[in-house]
């Protein structure tokens, strides 16, 4: 594995034995940490492929859709990196590296990482408002391909929807419709993978809790013991690759049901009802 800096966090490389991730840093140090944990989730999926004689080059060694890939990055970023258990472990390490944070408690960090603040930039958005960024992009893609919108109309439509959906005023196209790299290199249709990944991540984490034990897993994360969760994912998701022909069938095998938004919505409702005393 290798970590470098780039304009947009990304995971790539030549294969499971040569996985390279990038991250970025800004005045908001939280962004750099979150992006690094996110890309590490992608990297673990790549490194966890079946490289045995029976798996190499066959479905077992091929990732099962980008939605499942995003579930791995978002599971580590959100279920782990944004959890109380994680911050109880990592807070002393943050204090050591960033002395100006020493007055901040683990609970302070937990609340800071889970603050809901609508904004212009998708990659900086919180997990509650993030799906609205994805829905906007998907609606635009469908309209463009159906011939219902021209490219020239896109910026105005974008700005109108951002105001209507998120209450946000877009100051310029750089912070609006030109902020993502996906369309510029032809990754049209990719954005839904992020929200599919967020939905799947909750289902898989709940399955891991059921298998390992919710309290036991929480205690492991609080102690910085990430290997048990990684190995559970490696056995049930990473090394299985595309043996199952669809994410629905993978989830049915691992979780008992196909892709469902209900656990995701319950996760958000329970978490933010408690956080914001709703």
């Amino acid at each position: 594995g290798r970590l470098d800096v780039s304009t947009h966090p990304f995971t790539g490389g030549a294969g499971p034995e040569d996985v390279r991730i990038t991250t970025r840093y800004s005045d908001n140090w939280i962004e750099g940490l979150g992006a690094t944990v996110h890309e590490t989730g992608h990297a673990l999926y790549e490194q966890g492929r079946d490289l045995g004689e029976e798996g190499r080059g066959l479905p077992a060694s091929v990732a099962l859709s980008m939605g499942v890939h995003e579930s791995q990055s978002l599971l580590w970023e959100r279920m782990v990196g944004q959890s109380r258990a994680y911050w109880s472990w990592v807070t002393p390490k943050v204090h050591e590296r960033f002395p100006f944070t020493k007055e901040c408690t683990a609970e302070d960090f937990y609340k800071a990482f889970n603050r809901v603040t609508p904004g212009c930039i998708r990659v900086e958005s919180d997990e509650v408002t993030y799906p609205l960024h994805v829905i906007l992009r998907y609606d635009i893609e469908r309209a463009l391909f159906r011939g219902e919108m021209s490219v020239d109309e896109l910026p105005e439509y974008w700005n109108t929807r951002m105001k209507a959906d998120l209450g946000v005023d877009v100051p310029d196209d750089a912070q609006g419709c030109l902020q993502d790299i996906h369309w510029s290199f032809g990754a049209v249709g990719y954005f839904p993978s992020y929200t599919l990944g967020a939905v799947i991540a909750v289902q898989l984490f709940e399955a891991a809790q059921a298998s390992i034990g919710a309290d036991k897993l929480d205690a492991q994360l609080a102690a910085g013991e990430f290997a048990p969760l990684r190995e559970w994912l490696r056995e049930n998701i990473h090394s299985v690759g595309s043996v199952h022909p669809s994410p629905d069938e993978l989830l049915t095998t691992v979780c008992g049901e196909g892709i469902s938004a209900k656990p995701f919505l319950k996760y958000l409702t329970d978490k933010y009802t408690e956080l914001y005393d709703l």
Side-chain angles (χ1 to χ4, degrees), residues 66-75 78-79 191-204 264:
M66 290 313 300
V68 174
H69 225 307
E70 292 297 343
S71 79
Q72 298 309 288
S73 56
L74 290 169
L75 185 150
R78 295 179 177 179
M79 273 71 259
F191 287 111
S193 298
Y194 294 119
T195 294
L196 284 170
V199 168
I200 295 170
V202 174
Q203 290 181 267
L204 292 179
F264 176 66

Side-chain angles (χ1 to χ4, degrees), residues 69-226:
H69 225 307
E70 292 297 343
S71 79
Q72 298 309 288
S73 56
L74 290 169
L75 185 150
W76 285 100
E77 178 188 357
R78 295 179 177 179
M79 273 71 259
V80 178
Q82 292 180 218
S83 69
R84 276 195 173 93
Y86 175 81
W87 280 102
S88 70
W89 169 74
V90 80
T91 292
K93 298 180 182 298
V94 174
H95 288 166
E96 181 182 347
R97 296 295 192 278
F98 303 98
F100 65 88
T101 69
K102 286 190 174 180
E103 293 183 3
C104 297
T105 65
E107 185 68 10
D108 291 333
F109 283 122
Y110 172 71
K111 290 180 177 179
F113 258 78
N114 291 285
R115 183 178 180 183
V116 177
T117 308
C120 290
I121 307 301
R122 175 184 63 84
V123 296
E124 297 176 1
S125 63
D126 57 83
E127 60 183 339
V128 176
T129 61
Y130 190 102
L132 296 175
H133 289 264
V134 171
I135 290 169
L136 167 61
R137 288 154 175 76
Y138 183 54
D139 286 347
I140 288 173
E141 290 177 341
R142 287 196 302 176
L144 288 172
F145 276 84
R146 288 173 175 173
E148 299 168 354
M149 181 190 301
S150 69
V151 173
D152 290 341
E153 295 172 315
L154 195 160
E156 182 179 355
Y157 179 81
W158 179 292
N159 297 347
T160 300
R161 279 287 301 274
M162 285 293 290
K163 183 66 173 179
D165 294 1
L166 288 162
V168 172
D169 292 309
V170 180
D172 52 54
D173 290 342
Q175 297 180 69
C177 62
L178 297 180
Q179 67 180 266
D180 293 300
I181 63 172
H182 301 62
W183 288 338
S184 65
F185 66 69
V188 177
Y190 187 94
F191 287 111
S193 298
Y194 294 119
T195 294
L196 284 170
V199 168
I200 295 170
V202 174
Q203 290 181 267
L204 292 179
F205 191 72
E206 289 184 351
Q209 287 178 315
S211 176
I212 298 172
D215 291 340
K216 183 177 180 180
L217 178 55
D218 197 57
Q220 289 169 345
L221 298 180
E225 298 172 4
F226 305 113

Side-chain angles (χ1 to χ4, degrees), residues 12-19 46 49:
E17 295 167 308
D18 181 5
V19 179
E46 288 297 304
R49 294 188 200 176

